[in-house]
Amino acid sequence: MIRILVYIILAAVCLSSCFFSDDDPLLPPEITDPCSIVHDTYPNVGEDSCSWVLNVMRNFQPPTVLPSATDTGGQLLAARVITDTSEFLFVAGGVPDRFLGTPCTWWNSQRNGELPLSTVSGIYCRRPPVDPNEYSLTFDISDSLKIYQEEFRFRVRFEYGSIVTGQTVFELVDTDDFRFHQLHENDSSRILSGLFEATLHNRDDPTDSIRLVDGRFDMRY
């Protein structure tokens, strides 16, 4: 029994020296001090926000490619956005609950209970300081699988901007400017998916427009 106790004590001393010494800490520095990594890129981030920002840096970077089109009922809404001077990718997606402000609910696609239409709606949530911008796209599809739009509600709408620059709103003026491709509905599985492209105009400046190309969506209603 004494010999067993000696072995236990020696093992405890070894474990303590192996894992809890100053030279070889149990936890990596990014866990014990995430600011040591975050401040290399974003020196102005407060210490209470470093863990959140590090998570965003590692797992929620802005998109660099469009996700592949799917027809499985997954939550997918994405497109390439072409402006007069540049282009960027819109891919709806969320982030962890923000450390400031209200959480961003990034997916709200559903079947409308009042009218025979399905709403496709997604948000690319802002992720400061990695990306302060937020983008959102909403459109409605009728039961005849065509774009549905009314004058004062149920309008195709794309918004983007930041808290600093403000939001710019683009809307569909002519329903012929919104075209679906390979639109497919599976009634038994309640899945609606397809490809799309559209030309939208600035709500405050009709001479300003954007094009959504290579659009794709997938939803379950």
Side-chain angles (χ1 to χ4, degrees):
M1 177 66 69
I2 296 177
R3 181 177 299 176
I4 294 175
L5 289 175
V6 170
Y7 287 152
I8 293 175
I9 294 172
L10 290 175
V13 171
C14 179
L15 287 173
S16 176
S17 63
C18 290
F19 293 103
F20 293 96
S21 68
D22 293 335
D23 295 333
D24 188 13
L26 180 63
L27 297 176
E30 62 195 67
I31 301 300
T32 58
D33 184 17
C35 288
S36 64
I37 297 176
V38 172
H39 284 166
D40 286 342
T41 307
Y42 305 107
N44 295 326
V45 171
E47 292 188 2
D48 57 339
S49 303
C50 285
S51 294
W52 190 92
V53 173
L54 181 60
N55 187 10
V56 170
M57 290 171 62
R58 293 283 173 81
N59 303 305
F60 300 92
Q61 283 286 335
T64 56
V65 296
L66 283 177
S68 300
T70 60
D71 58 1
T72 59
Q75 297 174 332
L76 171 65
L77 182 57
R80 189 160 53 94
V81 183
I82 301 177
T83 72
D84 291 338
T85 58
S86 64
E87 66 176 71
F88 57 88
L89 298 181
F90 162 72
V91 180
V95 293
D97 285 352
R98 285 198 289 242
F99 53 88
L100 293 175
T102 58
C104 176
T105 303
W106 72 274
W107 187 257
N108 194 31
S109 297
Q110 58 188 321
R111 181 74 171 180
N112 190 293
E114 299 178 358
L115 296 172
L117 58 86
S118 298
T119 297
V120 182
S121 181
I123 296 175
Y124 168 87
C125 298
R126 70 184 187 95
R127 46 208 72 192
V130 177
D131 188 351
N133 292 306
E134 183 171 282
Y135 309 85
S136 66
L137 174 63
T138 300
F139 56 85
D140 298 282
I141 304 173
S142 69
D143 275 1
S144 59
L145 300 184
K146 295 181 180 179
I147 197 69
Y148 182 92
Q149 179 154 297
E150 296 182 3
E151 184 175 0
F152 297 111
R153 62 174 186 164
F154 301 116
R155 297 188 65 83
V156 177
R157 186 175 67 256
F158 181 82
E159 303 181 38
Y160 73 92
S162 69
I163 295 177
V164 176
T165 62
Q167 292 286 108
T168 303
V169 181
F170 291 83
E171 294 182 336
L172 182 67
V173 175
D174 188 339
T175 54
D176 289 337
D177 287 336
F178 197 110
R179 293 169 293 280
F180 287 115
H181 308 285
Q182 302 178 30
L183 195 59
H184 177 70
E185 183 176 24
N186 187 325
D187 290 327
S188 60
S189 300
R190 302 179 65 84
I191 293 174
L192 186 61
S193 63
L195 309 178
F196 64 90
E197 57 183 290
T199 299
L200 309 180
H201 292 268
N202 190 324
R203 188 168 61 183
D204 299 320
D205 180 7
T207 63
D208 181 26
S209 65
I210 60 173
R211 288 197 302 132
L212 307 181
V213 300
D214 300 326
R216 64 279 318 266
F217 78 96
D218 188 12
M219 63 174 283
R220 191 182 299 273
Y221 57 86

